[in-house]
Tab-separated table of all heavy atoms in Angstrom:
chain	number	residue	atom	x	y	z
A	158	LYS	N	-11.421	19.462	-26.949
A	158	LYS	CA	-10.727	18.925	-28.102
A	158	LYS	C	-9.861	20.022	-28.725
A	158	LYS	O	-9.980	21.203	-28.389
A	158	LYS	CB	-11.725	18.409	-29.131
A	158	LYS	CG	-12.588	17.244	-28.662
A	158	LYS	CD	-13.564	16.836	-29.758
A	158	LYS	CE	-14.473	15.715	-29.284
A	158	LYS	NZ	-15.460	15.324	-30.331
A	159	SER	N	-9.021	19.632	-29.659
A	159	SER	CA	-8.139	20.602	-30.307
A	159	SER	C	-8.905	21.668	-31.092
A	159	SER	O	-8.403	22.769	-31.307
A	159	SER	CB	-7.157	19.883	-31.239
A	159	SER	OG	-7.858	19.087	-32.182
A	160	ASP	N	-10.174	21.341	-31.472
A	160	ASP	CA	-10.976	22.340	-32.188
A	160	ASP	C	-11.794	23.216	-31.252
A	160	ASP	O	-12.618	24.027	-31.691
A	160	ASP	CB	-11.896	21.660	-33.206
A	160	ASP	CG	-12.917	20.728	-32.545
A	160	ASP	OD1	-12.972	20.682	-31.287
A	160	ASP	OD2	-13.646	20.046	-33.275
A	161	GLY	N	-11.606	23.059	-29.924
A	161	GLY	CA	-12.296	23.889	-28.957
A	161	GLY	C	-13.612	23.348	-28.465
A	161	GLY	O	-14.227	23.938	-27.569
A	162	THR	N	-14.083	22.219	-29.016
A	162	THR	CA	-15.332	21.613	-28.549
A	162	THR	C	-15.051	20.656	-27.405
A	162	THR	O	-13.930	20.169	-27.234
A	162	THR	CB	-16.041	20.863	-29.689
A	162	THR	OG1	-15.191	19.808	-30.159
A	162	THR	CG2	-16.374	21.808	-30.828
A	163	LEU	N	-16.098	20.370	-26.610
A	163	LEU	CA	-15.930	19.497	-25.455
A	163	LEU	C	-15.658	18.063	-25.892
A	163	LEU	O	-16.299	17.541	-26.803
A	163	LEU	CB	-17.185	19.517	-24.579
A	163	LEU	CG	-17.420	20.751	-23.711
A	163	LEU	CD1	-18.769	20.618	-23.000
A	163	LEU	CD2	-16.309	20.924	-22.683
A	164	ASN	N	-14.691	17.430	-25.203
A	164	ASN	CA	-14.523	16.000	-25.370
A	164	ASN	C	-15.753	15.287	-24.832
A	164	ASN	O	-16.436	15.784	-23.919
A	164	ASN	CB	-13.284	15.514	-24.610
A	164	ASN	CG	-12.039	15.558	-25.473
A	164	ASN	OD1	-12.056	15.127	-26.624
A	164	ASN	ND2	-10.954	16.089	-24.908
A	165	ASN	N	-16.036	14.119	-25.354
A	165	ASN	CA	-17.215	13.371	-24.916
A	165	ASN	C	-17.191	13.067	-23.426
A	165	ASN	O	-18.225	12.932	-22.782
A	165	ASN	CB	-17.330	12.061	-25.705
A	165	ASN	CG	-17.664	12.298	-27.162
A	165	ASN	OD1	-18.264	13.315	-27.501
A	165	ASN	ND2	-17.262	11.372	-28.029
A	166	TRP	N	-15.990	12.948	-22.878
A	166	TRP	CA	-15.876	12.568	-21.467
A	166	TRP	C	-15.666	13.774	-20.559
A	166	TRP	O	-15.356	13.615	-19.389
A	166	TRP	CB	-14.723	11.592	-21.294
A	166	TRP	CG	-13.368	12.231	-21.338
A	166	TRP	CD1	-12.881	13.087	-22.281
A	166	TRP	CD2	-12.327	12.069	-20.374
A	166	TRP	NE1	-11.607	13.472	-21.977
A	166	TRP	CE2	-11.234	12.860	-20.819
A	166	TRP	CE3	-12.196	11.357	-19.194
A	166	TRP	CZ2	-10.038	12.934	-20.116
A	166	TRP	CZ3	-10.997	11.428	-18.495
A	166	TRP	CH2	-9.933	12.207	-18.956
A	167	SER	N	-15.852	14.987	-21.082
A	167	SER	CA	-15.536	16.178	-20.297
A	167	SER	C	-16.339	16.241	-19.005
A	167	SER	O	-15.868	16.751	-17.993
A	167	SER	CB	-15.782	17.445	-21.121
A	167	SER	OG	-15.310	18.585	-20.429
A	168	ASN	N	-17.553	15.702	-19.016
A	168	ASN	CA	-18.381	15.772	-17.809
A	168	ASN	C	-17.825	14.923	-16.670
A	168	ASN	O	-18.196	15.105	-15.516
A	168	ASN	CB	-19.820	15.327	-18.126
A	168	ASN	CG	-19.889	13.888	-18.594
A	168	ASN	OD1	-19.041	13.448	-19.355
A	168	ASN	ND2	-20.905	13.172	-18.159
A	169	VAL	N	-16.939	13.992	-16.972
A	169	VAL	CA	-16.346	13.179	-15.907
A	169	VAL	C	-14.829	13.338	-15.881
A	169	VAL	O	-14.138	12.587	-15.199
A	169	VAL	CB	-16.712	11.686	-16.056
A	169	VAL	CG1	-18.199	11.478	-15.861
A	169	VAL	CG2	-16.258	11.134	-17.405
Side-chain angles (χ1 to χ4, degrees):
K158 297 179 182 179
S159 56
D160 63 5
T162 61
L163 285 176
N164 270 314
N165 292 334
W166 76 310
S167 188
N168 62 320
V169 294

